[in-house]
């Protein structure tokens, strides 16, 4: 299964600017991307990075500087195209965000399995976003604005696609805000967690709720 991993090279992770300098955000975003790519490959997927600009990787990269929705729909047009005259239904295609630092091969394998059984299988993020999905319905396209999980459920219904929700804490945790770093330190198993520790971040439970501090 081909797995598209969107990745922004332009000022990545701007909402972490209160705790990370620009060059640190670049390094941390790259660590998360590498973790996601490794997890995808270990789960049997064939990762392809959909980047806003050239990026040096030992994986296939497609450069598309359009907004996320347009870039992903362009990829789906190519892989699922409703006008494709080849025999049989399209092969499932997955899209997994590059900031899912908690993703593991086991959680992605569960997503991929759901996507083989349903026309569209979505792993929602906290707050109603769409962190990862698998689609095989030729007419399914995305809209990442607002509560996109709800929108994608409606889009699937409108085109007659069987829809399945994949409930996963690991796939549901995208790293955007400083508070999200605690989840990486608690549950992370790869480069991103190591990067944070080496940068001096540690857990702090002195106020009751676990947060992070930087030494």
């Amino acid at each position: 299964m081909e797995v598209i991993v969107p990745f922004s090279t332009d000022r990545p992770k701007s909402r972490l600017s209160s705790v990370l300098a620009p060059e640190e955000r670049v390094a941390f975003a790259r660590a998360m991307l590498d973790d996601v790519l490794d997890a995808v490959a270990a789960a049997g997927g064939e990762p392809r990075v959909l980047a806003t600009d050239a990026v040096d990787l030992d994986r296939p990269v497609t450069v598309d500087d359009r907004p996320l929705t347009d870039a992903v729909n362009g990829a789906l047009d190519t892989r699922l195209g409703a006008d494709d005259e080849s025999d049989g239904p399209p092969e499932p295609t997955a899209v997994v965000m590059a900031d899912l630092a908690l993703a593991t091969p086991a959680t992605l394998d569960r997503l991929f399995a759901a996507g083989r059984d349903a026309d569209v299988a979505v792993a929602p993020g906290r707050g109603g976003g769409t962190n990862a999905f698998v689609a095989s319905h030729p007419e399914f396209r995305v809209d990442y604005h607002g509560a996109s999980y709800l929108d994608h459920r409606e889009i699937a219904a409108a085109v007659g696609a069987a829809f399945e929700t994949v409930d996963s804490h690991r796939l549901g945790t995208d790293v955007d805000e400083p508070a999200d770093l605690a989840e990486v330190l608690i549950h992370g198993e790869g480069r991103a967690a190591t990067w944070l520790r080496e940068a001096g971040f540690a857990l702090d439970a002195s106020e009751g709720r676990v947060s992070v501090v930087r030494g």
Side-chain angles (χ1 to χ4, degrees):
M1 180 186 300
E2 185 159 57
V3 182
I4 306 301
V5 182
F7 181 66
S8 175
T9 62
D10 181 29
R11 297 186 300 278
K13 295 295 142 194
S14 59
R15 282 184 279 176
L16 294 175
S17 60
S18 63
V19 294
L20 294 176
E23 63 275 12
E24 291 178 320
R25 298 200 304 273
V26 170
F28 181 55
R30 177 59 186 267
M32 290 194 292
L33 171 65
D34 288 339
D35 281 345
V36 169
L37 294 176
D38 286 350
V40 167
E46 300 173 7
R48 173 176 290 275
V49 176
L50 183 63
T52 56
D53 203 348
V55 56
D56 183 19
L57 287 167
D58 60 357
R59 312 277 189 180
V61 177
T62 297
V63 175
D64 191 328
D65 63 0
R66 291 180 293 174
L68 178 62
T69 293
D70 295 334
V72 171
N73 281 336
L76 294 179
D77 287 343
T78 299
R79 290 159 181 80
L80 302 181
D83 297 327
D84 190 348
E85 297 180 357
S86 61
D87 294 335
E91 289 295 318
T93 295
V95 175
V96 177
M97 293 301 158
D99 60 355
L100 303 187
L102 307 188
T104 63
T107 55
L108 288 169
D109 185 65
R110 186 157 67 90
L111 173 71
F112 298 162
R116 295 184 186 99
D117 294 334
D119 295 325
V120 179
V122 173
R126 295 169 300 175
T130 299
N131 284 359
F133 72 86
V134 180
S136 58
H137 195 287
E139 297 178 52
F140 179 77
R141 296 297 182 271
V142 298
D143 183 351
Y144 281 105
H145 302 96
S148 62
Y149 164 71
L150 299 177
D151 294 336
H152 292 150
R153 193 169 63 185
E154 292 179 0
I155 291 168
V159 300
F163 185 91
E164 183 171 343
T165 299
V166 178
D167 184 9
S168 167
H169 170 257
R170 287 185 173 275
L171 296 182
T173 303
D174 49 328
V175 181
D176 285 320
E177 308 283 352
D180 300 331
L181 301 182
E183 297 295 328
V184 181
L185 290 176
I186 293 169
H187 302 287
E189 301 173 357
R191 293 178 179 85
T194 298
W195 190 94
L196 288 175
R197 293 188 181 99
E198 291 179 349
F201 287 91
L203 295 171
D204 177 20
S206 62
E207 300 298 327
R209 184 178 180 87
V210 176
S211 61
V212 296
V213 293
R214 191 173 193 180

